[in-house]
Amino acid sequence: MGTRTNVERRTVLKAAGISAVTLGVAATGCGGSDGTSADGNVTIRYSWWGAEERAKKINQSIALFEKKYPKIKVKTDFQDYPSFWEKFQTQAAGGNPPDVFQNAVGFLRKYDKRGVLLDLGSQIDAGNLSLDHFRAGVVKVGQVDGKQLGVPVGSNTMALVIDKKVYEKAGVDPTAGWTWDEYFKALKTIHDKTEIPGDTGYFSIMYLYDLYLRQNGKAFFTKDGLGFEQSDLTEWWTDGYGRVKAGIVTSPKVVAQDTPKSSLSAGHGASEFTWDNFTVRYTAEGTSDYGLAPIPTTDGKDTGQYLASLMLSGSARTKHPKEVAQFIDFMVHDPAVGKIMGYDRGILATTDQYDAFKPTDVVQKEIAQYEVDTAKAGVLGTITPHPSGADTAESAFLRIGGDMALGKTKVADAVKQFFSEAQAAFSA
Amino acid sequence: MGTAVTLVDDAPPDTRQTRSATPAAKKRRGRRENLAGYLFMSPWIAGFLLLTAGPMVASLYFAFTDYNLFDSPKWIGFDNFTRMFDDPRWQKSVEVTAKYVVIGTPLKLLLALGVAMLLAQSRRGQALYRAAFYAPSLIGASVSIGFVWRTLFSDGAVVDRTQSLFGSHVGGWVGDPDWILYSLVALTVWQFGAPMVIFLAGLKQVPRELYEAAAMDGAGPFRRFWNITLPMISPVLFFNVLLETIHSFQIFGSAYVVSNSQCGPADATLVYTCYLYQQGFKNAQMGFASAMAWMLLLAVALVTAVLFWSQKKWVHYEEDAQ
């Protein structure tokens, strides 16, 4: 009997031990550390969206940073754009966002409203981060209601990216100040001469419709909602649908099959409205030569363009605001980092980096020239405000616009659907 | 839980001990052994409570709230549920899912049964055929197969070229709102191997003498199938119908990958779980998404209940015959 009891006790203890170990492991998994180790070293997490090419450049830049600040370690991770924001939202909701991350104007109010973004103001006052030497007007992109929520790393503007070979073959030569009528006539010429649709689907791109509205005294967004009427959009989409049916704009079916590649670089369209720095991507993706053309206008002059920007933001929950500020400061000002990054995230935002990097390849030279020309033409305005929910409204615009162009939804229903989804996004 | 405890209770009594132990000591020993059993199970119990039961209770609560992941949930009663019925995209997702289940499941089971009947006969190289037909079930759910499918069904790819030979000018199915769902149906039908193996096991159980007797009485192949095979394998058929139907309702991966995470175009592949995912993780409408999840659970439970009720009419268990 005595022996038996011992065996049982041992069994019980073992079982308890195993459970404790398992639970212990689980507990370690859950418990986050604050990133400070015993020797005073600090680790900060840096997340961004992009692809392999950008990853290489960023890792090189971080190596420079860690050399200058040996006590700060930077841990990185990256995804593509949509996955990045899905992951970020979940992390931020769980109170565990990265300490520092890539950001864009469409997300500033959304995450400010939810208390996720660090106001860098106090770090600027403390001298850990400098806002000097930024190119004119760029810093403003990161400001919301007097708070500095993001620091621009590069600036970009919407442009018309064209397949140079196709444009040449069709004999179309875009000039500054050309009008929408001229643009749509050009699409027809291109289609007649080359059988390639002239445009990949301009009518569902939020940032382009924004420019068109700005040319007409409106804008896509106001501070808390939409800046246009259902009748405006009905007209815009009715015309768009007509042009798809006429074959001068790429069918959304083809666009869907080409994704994640762009239909422009896949050779299924001759031009696409997008950010000027995207020529870098399309040149890597496609087989033709890609260049930049001016945005069509309503009055022969005003393009409605403005400088937008990719930014670095900090988390309001970071335990190391000082180190985060030092990191951002280094990434935007250090000339060596500028040389490594080039125009991958837009034209370098500070003069420190802008002057240090001299592009040698045609594509990057053309981007620089485009922004110089745009600035010279005096068409750059103040950026459109982006309310909380702007990101959701943008993707709904793209999706519903595509559905409409497939002929599956009547234009009037599509417009109603967009307005109701946008309202839901703003009030979420 | 119950099983493990019973195992301890039912263990063959240690004769040495039963002889000497008093009832009180036995009871004490039993309790100790129960405790040991529970301790052994504790990692599993903890996992169940933390990872399954807890989240389920939480999601039931969220289903009745407006919850954007950041602000604390606001109680709104049944609003999420009433909102669903007014939401055109929710209706569309129900329609797409129903279409997928109603078309895909019977096709898959028919093919599985047909091939199982061919393979039930003794033939050379049978093991090879079985393995070959089963293989798609192993890999079919993977993301890479989704990408392969996307490519196969694009303009100018294999499917497009094959159908043009027969004079069809539909083009690729991917990107075409009228056709893309059928590429998903094709993907699930292609994975008929798993129900096929179960059918095969069922077919092997049918006593040969029944067929011999029927043949003697002059019953043709169709009659033998209808009057012998089908009733005899009806429990297996029931099992397969149940499993495949429940499984179909939960389609997500293939729709997400084949449509390049858009569940489109024109919401043509907006299956229920995909809309749930978009609402929860893209639009941060976690309350609405939770309500959708419970609605799906209710719908699947209802369909299952109807199937169980219907089996009285068409499923024959052997003990009924005796």
Side-chain angles (χ1 to χ4, degrees):
Chain A
M1 184 76 198
T3 359
R4 180 79 193 189
T5 320
N6 278 341
V7 171
E8 278 173 8
R9 187 168 297 145
R10 217 178 298 145
T11 320
V12 171
L13 284 175
K14 262 190 217 156
I18 292 167
S19 322
V21 168
T22 326
L23 287 175
V25 169
T28 333
C30 297
S33 75
D34 68 355
T36 315
S37 63
D39 52 5
N41 280 352
V42 162
T43 305
I44 55 174
R45 279 162 57 216
Y46 170 34
S47 304
W48 46 274
W49 71 84
E52 203 54 48
E53 194 53 35
R54 186 174 289 173
K56 268 188 226 148
K57 293 176 180 170
I58 284 185
N59 287 339
Q60 285 172 25
S61 309
I62 287 173
L64 292 182
F65 174 77
E66 288 180 339
K67 217 161 145 196
K68 187 172 171 193
Y69 296 93
K71 288 212 175 286
I72 308 176
K73 295 268 160 287
V74 183
K75 244 176 77 184
T76 62
D77 68 291
F78 71 97
Q79 289 85 31
D80 61 16
Y81 180 79
S83 319
F84 172 87
W85 286 110
E86 276 167 37
K87 183 173 175 185
F88 181 83
Q89 177 165 276
T90 316
Q91 284 180 329
N96 190 29
D99 297 290
V100 56
F101 51 94
Q102 191 165 307
N103 205 348
V105 66
F107 298 86
L108 287 182
R109 275 181 201 275
K110 174 176 181 173
Y111 286 114
D112 180 39
K113 182 172 134 186
R114 282 150 196 183
V116 175
L117 302 180
L118 178 67
D119 180 3
L120 291 159
S122 57
Q123 291 301 323
I124 295 165
D125 297 342
N128 295 322
L129 169 61
S130 154
L131 289 189
D132 299 337
H133 307 299
F134 274 85
R135 286 165 47 232
V138 181
V139 157
K140 262 188 249 146
V141 179
Q143 292 168 350
V144 165
D145 304 334
K147 288 178 279 191
Q148 192 76 38
L149 301 177
V151 178
V153 292
S155 69
N156 47 12
T157 126
M158 282 297 281
L160 178 64
V161 179
I162 61 169
D163 185 325
K164 283 190 195 165
K165 287 183 182 165
V166 178
Y167 264 64
E168 228 162 79
K169 202 174 158 196
V172 173
D173 187 21
T175 48
W178 65 337
T179 63
W180 290 102
D181 285 345
E182 286 167 325
Y183 176 64
F184 293 127
K185 240 179 248 158
L187 299 188
K188 194 172 176 315
T189 313
I190 291 168
H191 185 243
D192 288 348
K193 296 214 170 137
T194 67
E195 286 181 6
I196 296 174
D199 183 291
T200 60
Y202 69 95
F203 49 83
S204 53
I205 300 166
M206 181 277 274
Y207 282 103
L208 177 73
Y209 190 42
D210 187 33
L211 297 187
Y212 177 78
L213 291 166
R214 288 163 61 102
Q215 293 173 6
N216 292 285
K218 299 181 179 180
F220 198 98
F221 294 119
T222 63
K223 261 186 191 168
D224 47 15
L226 294 172
F228 59 97
E229 307 297 318
Q230 296 204 7
S231 56
D232 296 320
L233 186 56
T234 307
E235 195 189 322
W236 183 251
W237 275 356
T238 306
D239 290 348
Y241 181 46
R243 291 182 180 116
V244 170
K245 287 195 93 178
I248 63 172
V249 173
T250 315
S251 153
K253 182 187 169 183
V254 175
V255 175
Q257 290 186 358
D258 287 336
T259 350
K261 231 184 175 185
S262 147
S263 285
L264 174 66
S265 51
H268 296 137
S271 41
E272 178 162 304
F273 290 100
T274 186
W275 301 103
D276 53 4
N277 57 319
F278 274 42
T279 42
V280 178
R281 182 188 134 192
Y282 292 165
T283 307
E285 259 180 23
T287 53
S288 190
D289 297 333
Y290 304 94
L292 297 166
I295 299 281
T297 66
T298 304
D299 62 0
K301 186 177 183 303
D302 185 14
T303 59
Q305 280 165 295
Y306 49 83
L307 284 185
S309 164
L310 281 192
M311 294 173 255
L312 290 179
S313 290
S315 154
R317 298 184 71 128
T318 182
K319 298 211 165 62
H320 311 291
K322 184 181 160 205
E323 285 78 3
V324 163
Q326 285 171 332
F327 177 69
I328 296 177
D329 188 72
F330 184 83
M331 292 300 270
V332 299
H333 288 294
D334 188 82
V337 169
K339 274 189 197 161
I340 294 170
M341 295 306 301
Y343 294 164
D344 177 65
R345 295 173 298 182
I347 307 266
L348 295 158
T350 56
T351 48
D352 311 305
Q353 294 189 341
Y354 183 77
D355 294 339
F357 174 74
K358 290 283 166 261
T360 48
D361 61 298
V362 186
V363 175
Q364 298 201 74
K365 267 186 190 163
E366 204 175 330
I367 300 173
Q369 194 56 44
Y370 188 78
E371 290 201 12
V372 169
D373 291 347
T374 315
K376 255 195 212 148
V379 291
L380 288 179
T382 325
I383 190 165
T384 300
H386 286 67
S388 168
D391 56 320
T392 312
E394 183 196 349
S395 54
F397 192 74
L398 182 67
R399 191 192 74 240
I400 299 171
D403 294 357
M404 176 282 301
L406 280 166
K408 276 279 142 189
T409 330
K410 274 196 228 117
V411 174
D413 294 340
V415 171
K416 258 186 229 139
Q417 172 77 8
F418 170 72
F419 270 72
S420 102
E421 284 191 32
Q423 286 317 329
F426 298 142
S427 57
Chain B
M1 272 162 51
T3 340
V5 177
T6 344
L7 273 181
V8 178
D9 287 347
D10 286 354
D14 182 336
T15 38
R16 230 179 341 127
Q17 192 161 29
T18 359
R19 231 180 289 138
S20 61
T22 61
K26 241 159 95 185
K27 216 173 178 182
R28 233 179 304 137
R29 187 172 67 91
R31 220 176 292 143
R32 253 199 313 263
E33 284 185 345
N34 278 356
L35 181 67
Y38 281 118
L39 277 169
F40 270 115
M41 282 188 296
S42 59
W44 183 85
I45 294 173
F48 172 76
L49 291 175
L50 289 172
L51 301 175
T52 308
M56 271 179 80
V57 172
S59 111
L60 182 60
Y61 166 65
F62 291 146
F64 294 95
T65 63
D66 180 5
Y67 181 39
N68 67 7
L69 283 173
F70 289 89
D71 307 323
S72 24
K74 254 185 304 198
W75 185 265
I76 52 168
F78 281 92
D79 280 9
N80 283 329
F81 293 91
T82 49
R83 207 181 109 197
M84 267 178 229
F85 292 95
D86 295 331
D87 178 353
R89 292 195 81 205
W90 183 82
Q91 292 163 8
K92 177 82 187 178
S93 76
V94 170
E95 185 197 316
V96 169
T97 312
K99 213 164 149 189
Y100 175 81
V101 172
V102 168
I103 300 173
T105 311
L107 277 181
K108 184 177 187 174
L109 291 177
L110 272 178
L111 189 63
L113 180 57
V115 176
M117 286 178 67
L118 287 177
L119 291 184
Q121 299 156 10
S122 306
R123 226 165 254 187
R124 266 182 0 145
Q126 214 182 27
L128 182 75
Y129 286 125
R130 278 184 209 170
F133 285 125
Y134 188 69
S137 295
L138 294 176
I139 55 169
S142 70
V143 170
S144 48
I145 288 297
F147 280 112
V148 170
W149 226 250
R150 203 173 131 69
T151 314
L152 283 180
F153 284 87
S154 283
D155 278 351
V158 182
V159 174
D160 186 13
R161 285 201 303 252
T162 312
Q163 67 190 8
S164 326
L165 288 182
F166 297 97
S168 154
H169 298 289
V170 173
W173 296 7
V174 170
D176 187 329
D178 294 328
W179 283 91
I180 186 168
L181 186 65
Y182 299 106
S183 71
L184 301 184
V185 168
L187 180 52
T188 181
V189 171
W190 181 60
Q191 299 168 52
F192 65 88
M196 178 198 76
V197 167
I198 298 169
F199 275 132
L200 207 50
L203 287 169
K204 294 266 174 198
Q205 301 285 313
V206 183
R208 301 232 51 88
E209 55 268 27
L210 290 180
Y211 290 113
E212 283 158 15
M216 207 89 84
D217 290 340
F222 179 75
R223 182 131 204 153
R224 278 189 304 235
F225 172 76
W226 192 254
N227 285 353
I228 299 173
T229 312
L230 217 48
M232 290 306 282
I233 63 161
S234 58
V236 174
L237 181 61
F238 173 67
F239 175 78
N240 268 338
V241 169
L242 198 64
L243 211 65
E244 290 300 328
T245 309
I246 294 175
H247 194 69
S248 297
F249 271 109
Q250 297 165 353
I251 174 190
F252 176 76
S254 59
Y256 188 80
V257 177
V258 172
S259 70
N260 197 43
S261 83
Q262 301 300 307
C263 302
D267 290 345
T269 54
L270 187 72
V271 293
Y272 197 88
T273 49
C274 201
Y275 190 44
L276 190 157
Y277 175 79
Q278 287 186 355
Q279 285 290 357
F281 292 93
K282 281 202 157 114
N283 301 350
Q285 307 257 345
M286 210 39 99
F288 187 73
S290 300
M292 276 187 72
W294 281 92
M295 206 63 173
L296 178 64
L297 184 74
L298 280 179
V300 171
L302 194 72
V303 170
T304 310
V306 168
L307 281 173
F308 264 100
W309 168 82
S310 78
Q311 69 161 339
K312 274 186 239 134
K313 311 227 179 275
W314 61 276
V315 179
H316 302 275
Y317 292 101
E318 226 165 327
E319 49 274 28
D320 301 345
Q322 283 160 4

